[in-house]
Amino acid sequence: MKRILIAIDGPAGSGKSTTAKLVARRLGYVYVDTGAMYRAMTFKVLASGIDPADESAAVKLATETRISLVDGGELKVILDGVDVTEAIRSEEVTKNVSLVSSYTAVRELMVEKQREIDSGKGCVVDGRDIGTVVFPNADLKIYMVADIAERARRRQEELSGTGVDLPVQQVVQELKERDFKDSTRETSPLRKADDAIEIDTTNLTIDEQVEIILNYAREIAVGHEEMQRK
Ligand code: DC
């Protein structure tokens, strides 16, 4: 079947990454977690002792940074040759990533890198601006949403798995702050593309989310094939 490019956007905790990863596995596609690239950049800013509010220093650092995603079963995030897959999930990175990713020049560098993806291989790309800015011609655009309470529950569970226990109120607050910053920044804010399909995952299981997207993907891939045959 023809290999397509699937863009999955939405706010934090909407189920994007888990779903995107599984959809990619099921189709034998490459999975690209663009949030991981912004996290890796934020990790480097913090590790270099730069104030994340210092835009020009963060941008200069970004021009001297190499970030690559290696998808060999489990996605590995490599920053200047070093594996930072786990380090980029820290609370400190999560708290600062919306600020660092709001810098236009940082975004331009990341978007340029994201566009190098060979879409002919078939890929699932998740982020905030994939359907609107990075790949406006994506074959399938999904916009995932979920209630804030459910998103907080998921995030709390994910944190708890890494040994971090936070009260749910704090998780809700952090999610709201990140949503606000991600959707009000000047350059490529989080928003649903006009032609994206919205999926509310509040009451869906992961398997159900994956099946819904796979069905759309198959429909589109078959449609492309039929067009080519005509
Ligand atoms: O998907 P995530 O929660 O790991 O993403 C971390 C942050 O990176 C998110 O709060 C906003 C930013 N981001 C972005 O601005 N654009 C993207 N395409 C992906 C993530």
Side-chain angles (χ1 to χ4, degrees), residues 50-64 103 105-106:
I50 288 173
D51 178 356
D54 185 344
E55 179 169 354
S56 60
V59 168
K60 181 169 181 293
L61 198 69
T63 60
E64 301 157 356
Y103 300 144
V106 168

Side-chain angles (χ1 to χ4, degrees), residues 34-35 38-39 97-98 101 107 127-129 178 182 185:
T34 61
Y38 290 98
R39 283 176 177 273
V97 66
S98 290
S101 64
R107 300 201 69 78
R128 303 290 189 286
D129 58 345
R178 206 138 65 94
D182 293 346
R185 68 175 176 232

Side-chain angles (χ1 to χ4, degrees), residues 160-185:
S160 167
T162 64
V164 179
D165 290 308
L166 291 183
V168 74
Q169 268 325 309
Q170 187 178 335
V171 181
V172 167
Q173 194 51 36
E174 284 180 8
L175 279 176
K176 281 188 176 167
E177 278 170 24
R178 206 138 65 94
D179 283 354
F180 179 75
K181 287 185 192 148
D182 293 346
S183 53
T184 56
R185 68 175 176 232

Side-chain angles (χ1 to χ4, degrees), residues 90-187:
S90 74
E91 264 296 281
E92 221 205 337
V93 169
T94 302
K95 277 202 188 110
N96 289 285
V97 66
S98 290
L99 179 60
V100 174
S101 64
S102 72
Y103 300 144
T104 303
V106 168
R107 300 201 69 78
E108 282 169 358
L109 288 164
M110 299 293 151
V111 169
E112 195 183 304
K113 179 94 197 138
Q114 289 155 18
R115 288 194 180 134
E116 287 170 9
I117 298 162
D118 179 2
S119 56
K121 280 190 185 157
C123 40
V124 184
V125 189
D126 95 44
R128 303 290 189 286
D129 58 345
I130 310 305
T132 50
V133 174
V134 185
F135 292 112
N137 297 322
D139 300 287
L140 172 60
K141 297 182 189 178
I142 302 288
Y143 191 78
M144 293 179 93
V145 295
D147 281 1
I148 183 84
E150 176 57 18
R151 293 197 283 131
R153 191 196 63 74
R154 292 174 190 168
R155 172 97 185 116
Q156 199 183 26
E157 199 175 272
E158 183 187 308
L159 282 169
S160 167
T162 64
V164 179
D165 290 308
L166 291 183
V168 74
Q169 268 325 309
Q170 187 178 335
V171 181
V172 167
Q173 194 51 36
E174 284 180 8
L175 279 176
K176 281 188 176 167
E177 278 170 24
R178 206 138 65 94
D179 283 354
F180 179 75
K181 287 185 192 148
D182 293 346
S183 53
T184 56
R185 68 175 176 232
E186 243 170 70
T187 310

Side-chain angles (χ1 to χ4, degrees), residues 22-54:
L22 289 169
V23 168
R25 296 289 161 271
R26 291 276 295 274
L27 293 169
Y29 281 17
V30 176
Y31 166 54
V32 185
D33 175 0
T34 61
M37 297 174 68
Y38 290 98
R39 283 176 177 273
M41 195 56 243
T42 305
F43 173 82
K44 185 165 172 183
V45 166
L46 296 168
S48 308
I50 288 173
D51 178 356
D54 185 344

